[in-house]
Amino acid sequence: MVGGGQLARMTHEAGIPLGIRFKLLSDTPQDSAAQVVGDVVIGDYRDLDTLRAFARGCDVITFDHEHVPTEHLWALEADGIPVRPGPDALVHAQDKGVMRAKLDAIGVPCPRHRIVSDPADVERFAAELGGGQAPDGFPVILKTVRGGYDGKGVWVVRSSKEAAEPFRAGVPVLAEEKVDFARELAANIVRSPHGQAVAYPVVESIQVDGVCDTVIAPAPDLDEELAGQAQQLALRIAQELGVVGHLAVELFETADGRILVNELAMRPHNSGHWTQDGAITSQFANHVRAVLDLPLGDPRPRAPWTVMANVLGGDYPDMYYAYLHCMARDPQLKIHMYGKDVKPGRKVGHVNTYGDDLADVRERAAHAAGYLRGTITE
Amino acid sequence: MVGGGQLARMTHEAGIPLGIRFKLLSDTPQDSAAQVVGDVVIGDYRDLDTLRAFARGCDVITFDHEHVPTEHLWALEADGIPVRPGPDALVHAQDKGVMRAKLDAIGVPCPRHRIVSDPADVERFAAELGGGQAPDGFPVILKTVRGGYDGKGVWVVRSSKEAAEPFRAGVPVLAEEKVDFARELAANIVRSPHGQAVAYPVVESIQVDGVCDTVIAPAPDLDEELAGQAQQLALRIAQELGVVGHLAVELFETADGRILVNELAMRPHNSGHWTQDGAITSQFANHVRAVLDLPLGDPRPRAPWTVMANVLGGDYPDMYYAYLHCMARDPQLKIHMYGKDVKPGRKVGHVNTYGDDLADVRERAAHAAGYLRGTITE
């Protein structure tokens, strides 16, 4: 696995029971996954020689993130190393421009969008939107087509004057309408090389300041037909794009009951962390199984409700005393910490809770996440 | 953790979500746990200097097995390193003579037993038994007081002539009556340094050729009062012996509805592997929590029935094709392999299944374990 973040850490955890030999390419020995994996190579995934040397002897390569240059992936494939997901699929998670063009081509509903060339072009795009937008079409979402995550590389601009910054990086900029959504959903599916696929229940994802805060599985009060449409959409995208492994499709649910695709991620995803304790087979276990072309595990939930809440860094670098309180308060609480240095606002872990009563399950998750961060003190 | 076997491997897996730094002392880099742990020291736990150097900088030491010499554990404690379970408790799992003497002293029911000095003494012990045994008191169980496991260091002898071998090792020999049991049970509990304890449901353990084959949780048709007695017994043993961490109490259930203590293990135990997929908190997670003096997790089951079946080595060193069949046949199957070289009869993994219908759950576990071993081929 290329990349030493928490997704690799939790994929390793899920791979241990399968008896597989898990090898990691990590930037530093302190990275989240590098702390817990036995076979670690320290090196820069942007360097092709490093990547090639790492890949030698691997049966298959997969990823913790989307940032490996697409041409490096082609080079690995040319070396005869299976890359899953392959570069032709992964490019859609790497480049939002390519992703939007492909989703348009296969008729998947997306927010209105186009590549823009400068602030004046943003103003023209805004004017074209009309409709539900303000008279001048603003606000508009601008995204660099590569390199963004967790709100980084994304701007909400209210005028062409505010639109200068996204163009400074010299990366193409995608403009999108700001969708007036009722809530955000995610459809998580896993697909294997021979085409078997499983769909997890569609979840609701609640963002705070552009970062995922809470995930509720399944999405409460979601129309059954719409849930089925969202799963079908994710399965179709995976098939059309040739995805292998876990695919997260982030969706907007509009007030008038439509779904639009916001983002794609081709790896285990924050919106699937609930599956570790809430599903028969976790997203990490199924990602490993897909990458190894093994039959996939049952994606069904084990409890009526599972809630995941992210733990962001707060003022306390030491979690031990917070554990004492949280574990004593809720003996069913599932804590998943990433071994990261605590910095304010940084995702350092998550908690999962499950049970029959959604209000109780949400309260327990929110309490634990808040207490671990330090924003709740009793 | 001292010892690189599968128990350390699965303890590491369970410790990853807590964000702890897990350090391993392993005999070789190929050992089951050494393959998957990041921070591994290769060395001999019987060498005090090695053990001391390993322990420096650890907050607490725990064990994959009982074989660390008791005097070494005292030395670590003298160095100021917390050892959990401590030597005064662990000696009861190391030395069957010490264990029987202590259980007698605190009034815990055991098979009749005494230390014997030679084959003639075995004959005298047999004659003393009388009662339910054959007229001459045989067969009798002989055990070396230290060093045995999985049927090793245990003999069933039918005459004093057969009783010579156990004395050859020069280790004291314990003689025990051969209990005419209806079945074997195990009571698993976890206790923390400040005295909190949790009890898992009492399970039935089915042995084949002296090796655990299947564990059913909870033990079917077990009298509720007897189950409560078994849990209480395990909790009392833990308290009286000062156990910290997981304690497995292997029990005989007699035809007349009594329970007798067979063996003790102070570490995660084969009879608790079902908890990985069948309980809210696994024995491994609770062992870690106890050793770190964190509040313990809920031990209750997540399904009406969970069955664990051990996978023994068979003729196929490569499990990939067996995985294809087993995973496709049962998408809910939980496979736990240990990364060990496959040798005939060696424990190389286990499977867990769970559900509402015990017959179905048993069939699925037995099929998968048999198929992985190669004794079932369809």
Side-chain angles (χ1 to χ4, degrees):
Chain A
M1 194 161 199
V2 175
Q6 64 263 27
L7 301 177
R9 181 184 177 101
M10 294 185 278
T11 302
H12 173 53
E13 184 193 335
I16 290 174
L18 291 183
I20 61 169
R21 300 293 179 109
F22 186 91
K23 188 173 164 185
L24 184 74
L25 179 62
S26 180
D27 286 343
T28 81
Q30 289 78 42
D31 283 12
S32 177
Q35 296 168 21
V36 300
V37 172
D39 191 356
V40 182
V41 173
I42 304 302
D44 185 346
Y45 61 83
R46 287 161 297 203
D47 179 69
L48 180 56
D49 290 339
T50 300
L51 200 61
R52 271 190 156 136
F54 169 75
R56 245 192 309 273
C58 290
D59 294 314
V60 56
I61 297 280
T62 190
F63 310 94
D64 168 83
H65 57 66
E66 294 85 7
H67 307 319
V68 180
T70 317
E71 59 271 24
H72 289 10
L73 303 179
W74 285 325
L76 291 182
E77 285 203 330
D79 288 350
I81 309 281
V83 174
R84 293 175 181 160
D88 294 340
L90 195 61
V91 67
H92 299 94
Q94 296 180 311
D95 188 308
K96 297 182 207 302
V98 175
M99 182 263 284
R100 286 290 179 228
K102 179 70 179 181
L103 295 186
D104 284 350
I106 63 174
V108 168
C110 292
R112 285 173 292 170
H113 60 88
R114 73 169 166 82
I115 298 289
V116 286
S117 55
D118 55 34
D121 196 21
V122 175
E123 192 157 350
R124 281 192 295 276
F125 173 76
E128 288 157 23
L129 289 177
Q133 310 289 112
D136 62 357
F138 284 100
V140 158
I141 311 284
L142 298 180
K143 299 173 174 178
T144 52
V145 295
R146 282 187 178 247
Y149 64 98
D150 275 358
K152 293 179 186 69
V154 178
W155 294 262
V156 183
V157 299
R158 295 178 186 280
S159 70
S160 61
K161 272 179 230 151
E162 287 179 28
E165 200 189 330
F167 295 94
R168 285 196 188 116
V171 177
V173 174
L174 180 72
E176 293 183 353
E177 70 173 313
K178 187 169 184 300
V179 176
D180 183 25
F181 57 83
R183 60 175 169 176
E184 293 188 64
L185 305 173
N188 288 295
I189 69 103
V190 184
R191 183 170 177 272
S192 66
H194 69 278
Q196 188 196 3
V198 293
Y200 287 99
V202 175
V203 298
E204 177 174 347
S205 172
I206 299 163
Q207 321 282 317
V208 174
D209 299 331
V211 178
C212 175
D213 181 84
T214 302
V215 169
I216 305 172
D221 303 319
L222 179 60
D223 178 77
E224 211 171 300
E225 198 181 330
L226 200 63
Q229 278 176 31
Q231 288 179 315
Q232 290 296 332
L233 192 68
L235 291 167
R236 192 157 73 81
I237 291 170
Q239 186 184 11
E240 296 273 5
L241 275 54
V243 176
V244 169
H246 188 266
L247 170 71
V249 181
E250 297 182 56
L251 298 162
F252 297 123
E253 182 183 7
T254 63
D256 58 350
R258 292 173 303 129
I259 47 176
L260 303 173
V261 172
N262 180 18
E263 303 277 1
L264 303 183
M266 293 181 199
R267 48 169 170 75
H269 188 256
N270 204 162
S271 65
H273 288 358
W274 70 274
T275 60
Q276 291 176 301
D277 302 296
I280 293 172
T281 314
S282 80
Q283 65 165 347
F284 298 101
N286 262 338
H287 183 74
V288 169
R289 286 160 77 148
V291 164
L292 298 177
D293 204 8
L294 290 166
L296 302 178
D298 193 327
R300 283 177 297 170
R302 289 195 73 174
W305 298 105
T306 304
V307 171
M308 191 265 351
N310 277 322
V311 177
L312 302 186
D315 295 332
Y316 308 111
D318 181 0
M319 291 283 175
Y320 183 77
Y321 288 99
Y323 277 11
L324 290 178
H325 180 78
C326 291
M327 290 177 172
R329 183 181 193 266
D330 182 1
Q332 300 187 25
L333 179 69
K334 297 295 179 181
I335 294 175
H336 298 267
M337 299 301 287
Y338 308 152
K340 289 180 166 182
D341 289 337
V342 172
K343 292 178 190 167
R346 186 186 201 189
K347 267 189 209 168
V348 294
H350 67 271
V351 296
N352 286 332
T353 53
Y354 55 82
D356 300 331
D357 175 350
L358 178 56
D360 172 67
V361 173
R362 281 194 75 166
E363 188 280 331
R364 287 161 47 215
H367 182 278
Y371 196 93
L372 289 166
R373 184 178 187 176
T375 52
I376 295 173
T377 56
E378 60 182 348
Chain B
M1 193 161 200
V2 176
Q6 65 263 29
L7 301 177
R9 181 184 176 101
M10 294 185 278
T11 303
H12 173 55
E13 183 192 337
I16 290 174
L18 292 182
I20 61 170
R21 299 295 179 108
F22 186 91
K23 188 172 163 185
L24 183 75
L25 179 62
S26 180
D27 287 344
T28 81
Q30 289 76 41
D31 282 13
S32 177
Q35 296 169 19
V36 299
V37 172
D39 190 357
V40 182
V41 173
I42 303 302
D44 185 346
Y45 61 83
R46 288 162 296 203
D47 179 67
L48 181 56
D49 291 340
T50 300
L51 201 60
R52 271 190 156 136
F54 169 75
R56 244 191 311 272
C58 289
D59 294 314
V60 57
I61 297 282
T62 190
F63 310 94
D64 169 81
H65 57 64
E66 295 84 6
H67 307 319
V68 180
T70 318
E71 59 271 22
H72 288 10
L73 303 179
W74 286 325
L76 291 183
E77 285 204 329
D79 289 348
I81 309 282
V83 174
R84 293 173 182 163
D88 295 341
L90 195 62
V91 67
H92 300 93
Q94 296 180 311
D95 188 309
K96 298 182 205 299
V98 174
M99 182 263 283
R100 286 290 180 227
K102 179 70 180 184
L103 295 185
D104 285 349
I106 63 173
V108 167
C110 292
R112 286 173 293 170
H113 61 90
R114 71 170 168 82
I115 299 290
V116 285
S117 54
D118 55 36
D121 197 21
V122 174
E123 192 157 350
R124 282 191 295 278
F125 172 76
E128 289 157 23
L129 288 177
Q133 311 289 112
D136 62 356
F138 283 99
V140 157
I141 310 285
L142 297 180
K143 298 175 175 176
T144 52
V145 296
R146 281 187 178 249
Y149 65 97
D150 274 357
K152 294 180 185 68
V154 177
W155 294 262
V156 183
V157 300
R158 298 179 183 281
S159 70
S160 61
K161 271 179 231 151
E162 287 179 28
E165 199 191 330
F167 295 94
R168 285 194 189 118
V171 176
V173 174
L174 179 73
E176 294 184 351
E177 70 172 314
K178 188 169 184 301
V179 175
D180 182 25
F181 59 82
R183 60 176 168 175
E184 292 187 65
L185 304 173
N188 288 296
I189 69 102
V190 184
R191 183 171 178 271
S192 66
H194 70 280
Q196 188 197 2
V198 293
Y200 287 98
V202 175
V203 298
E204 177 173 348
S205 172
I206 299 164
Q207 321 284 317
V208 174
D209 299 332
V211 177
C212 175
D213 181 85
T214 302
V215 168
I216 305 173
D221 303 319
L222 179 60
D223 178 78
E224 211 171 297
E225 198 181 331
L226 200 64
Q229 278 177 31
Q231 289 179 314
Q232 289 296 332
L233 193 69
L235 291 168
R236 191 156 74 81
I237 292 170
Q239 186 184 13
E240 296 271 6
L241 275 54
V243 176
V244 169
H246 189 266
L247 170 71
V249 181
E250 296 183 55
L251 298 162
F252 296 124
E253 182 183 8
T254 64
D256 58 351
R258 291 173 303 130
I259 48 175
L260 302 172
V261 171
N262 180 17
E263 303 277 1
L264 302 183
M266 294 182 196
R267 50 169 171 74
H269 188 255
N270 205 163
S271 64
H273 288 356
W274 69 273
T275 60
Q276 291 176 301
D277 301 298
I280 294 173
T281 315
S282 80
Q283 63 166 348
F284 298 101
N286 262 336
H287 183 73
V288 169
R289 286 161 76 148
V291 165
L292 299 177
D293 205 8
L294 290 166
L296 301 177
D298 194 328
R300 283 177 297 171
R302 288 195 75 174
W305 298 105
T306 304
V307 171
M308 190 264 352
N310 277 321
V311 177
L312 303 186
D315 295 332
Y316 308 110
D318 182 359
M319 291 283 175
Y320 183 78
Y321 289 98
Y323 278 11
L324 290 179
H325 179 79
C326 291
M327 290 177 172
R329 183 181 195 267
D330 181 1
Q332 299 187 26
L333 179 69
K334 296 295 177 180
I335 293 176
H336 298 267
M337 299 301 287
Y338 308 153
K340 289 179 165 182
D341 288 337
V342 172
K343 293 177 190 169
R346 185 186 203 192
K347 267 188 209 169
V348 295
H350 67 272
V351 296
N352 286 331
T353 53
Y354 55 83
D356 299 332
D357 175 350
L358 178 56
D360 172 66
V361 173
R362 282 194 75 166
E363 189 280 332
R364 287 160 48 214
H367 182 278
Y371 196 92
L372 288 166
R373 184 178 188 176
T375 53
I376 295 173
T377 55
E378 60 184 348

